[in-house]
């Protein structure tokens, strides 16, 4: 069989297809048009092939470092679970450095003891984010340096994540705030998605600050309890806006005292009021559920919100 025959047959069929698509066109123009369409088809196939070749694998080095680096840049708080069979949160941390196979985390709050030993895998949970493979809110990584066995008591070092998943969010028990001097709150009854208010510079509608000597209302208010899912406030009745009701959206700027740095660190949350109940005389107990968290965009200076 002549090897040119299949090629000639395909070319003839392609010519007939072009003639059907463009009836009345001269043979010279048909050949020119056919060549142009064939060249365009080759370019499309080449482009698709390059995209497939450049697409990183599910657990490639690009994937292992890209997501932790994104969490680092956005300042997302990461919950580290206590152990493989214990879903309670041991510590909260932020990622401070990411290399090819190393993720360094700074502990900002201790809730329990990390029972995972170096060399074993632990689970880190964060606010859900979208990836090309779907939504995720956790990764599994090997603990290489713990807070107890490592060089620094406020640092964890992990190997690059080896798995990502979307796991059900745990319902954390709210913890009562015993000392008001280590926590401060600014609150606005507004939605971050629709409000044009610059929250970073605006005066709060409701504040909690035990050291606000010039604003006695703020020092009278208090944080009753707090968890990953929300917080409870005790607020003077006269400070609650008339439009405030159950399901009212709120924006919260929460300041937690960092004992190592001896300074208050800010955290941004959006949420909804879930309960408004009578508290001690002259006060209302306000229960708030967090629905989103935010970090400050370094380029624009604006808040970048992520749904929880």
């Amino acid at each position: 069989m002549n090897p040119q025959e299949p090629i000639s047959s395909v070319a003839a069929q392609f010519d007939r297809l072009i003639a059907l698509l463009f009836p009345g066109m001269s043979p010279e123009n048909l050949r020119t048009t056919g060549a142009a369409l064939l060249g365009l088809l080759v370019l499309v196939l080449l482009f698709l092939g390059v995209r497939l070749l450049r697409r990183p694998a599910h657990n490639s080095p690009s994937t292992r470092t890209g997501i932790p680096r994104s969490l680092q840049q956005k300042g997302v708080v990461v919950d580290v679970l206590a152990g493989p069979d214990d879903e309670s949160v041991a510590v909260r941390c932020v990622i401070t450095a990411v290399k090819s196979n190393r993720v360094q985390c700074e502990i900002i709050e201790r809730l329990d003891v990390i029972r995972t030993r170096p060399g074993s895998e632990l689970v880190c949970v964060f606010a859900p984010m979208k990836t090309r493979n779907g939504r995720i809110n956790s990764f599994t990584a090997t603990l290489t340096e713990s807070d107890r066995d490592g060089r620094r008591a406020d640092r964890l070092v992990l190997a690059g994540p080896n798995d990502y998943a979307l796991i059900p969010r745990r319902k954390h028990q709210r913890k009562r705030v015993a000392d008001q001097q280590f926590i401060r709150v600014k609150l606005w009854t507004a939605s971050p998605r629709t409000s044009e208010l610059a929250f970073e510079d605006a005066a709060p509608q409701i504040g909690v600050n035990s050291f606000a000597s010039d604003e006695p209302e703020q020092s009278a208010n208090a944080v009753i309890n707090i968890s990953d899912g929300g917080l409870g406030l005790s607020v003077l009745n006269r400070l609650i806006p008339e439009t405030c009701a159950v399901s009212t959206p709120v924006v919260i700027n929460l300041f937690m005292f960092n004992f190592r740095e001896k300074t208050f660190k800010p955290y941004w949350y959006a949420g909804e009021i879930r309960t408004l109940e009578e508290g001690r005389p002259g006060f209302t107990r306000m229960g708030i559920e967090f629905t989103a968290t935010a970090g400050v965009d370094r380029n624009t200076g604006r808040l970048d919100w992520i749904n929880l």
Side-chain angles (χ1 to χ4, degrees), residues 14-15 18 29-42:
F14 187 74
D15 288 341
I18 296 299
N29 290 336
L30 284 176
R31 283 193 291 271
T32 303
T33 303
L37 291 176
L38 186 59
L40 180 62
L41 178 61
V42 170

Side-chain angles (χ1 to χ4, degrees), residues 5-81:
E5 289 182 2
I7 299 176
S8 300
S9 176
V10 172
Q13 293 180 13
F14 187 74
D15 288 341
R16 285 195 293 271
L17 176 62
I18 296 299
L20 290 174
L21 293 175
F22 303 98
M25 186 177 291
S26 65
E28 292 78 6
N29 290 336
L30 284 176
R31 283 193 291 271
T32 303
T33 303
L37 291 176
L38 186 59
L40 180 62
L41 178 61
V42 170
L43 288 176
V44 170
L45 293 175
L46 180 62
F47 174 76
L48 293 176
V50 171
R51 287 289 301 272
L52 289 174
L53 289 174
R54 294 183 61 184
R55 182 173 180 174
H58 176 67
N59 200 26
S60 68
S62 173
T63 304
R64 288 198 299 269
T65 59
I67 293 175
R69 187 167 287 116
S70 176
L71 296 173
Q72 176 193 3
Q73 293 171 350
K74 294 179 180 179
V76 176
V77 176
V78 177
D79 290 348
V80 178
L81 303 191

Side-chain angles (χ1 to χ4, degrees), residues 99-141:
K99 295 184 179 179
S100 59
N101 198 35
R102 175 186 170 95
V103 178
Q104 182 174 298
C105 306
E106 176 191 347
I107 297 173
I108 59 175
E109 185 179 4
R110 294 181 184 274
L111 303 174
D112 202 343
V113 176
I114 299 177
R115 298 176 180 84
T116 301
R117 307 300 300 173
S120 300
E121 292 185 344
L122 52 70
V123 178
C124 299
V125 185
F126 46 88
M129 62 186 300
K130 292 181 180 179
T131 70
R132 68 176 63 199
N133 294 317
R135 289 170 61 83
I136 60 171
N137 69 346
S138 68
F139 65 77
T140 303

Side-chain angles (χ1 to χ4, degrees), residues 262-295:
K262 294 181 172 55
T263 186
F264 283 89
K265 284 197 170 184
Y267 303 93
W268 287 93
Y269 294 96
E272 289 186 358
I273 296 176
R274 292 305 184 194
T275 59
L276 286 170
E277 301 174 350
E278 183 179 354
R280 57 194 177 95
F283 287 81
T284 294
R285 293 171 61 96
M286 180 184 297
I288 299 170
E289 179 184 7
F290 296 147
T291 58
T293 184

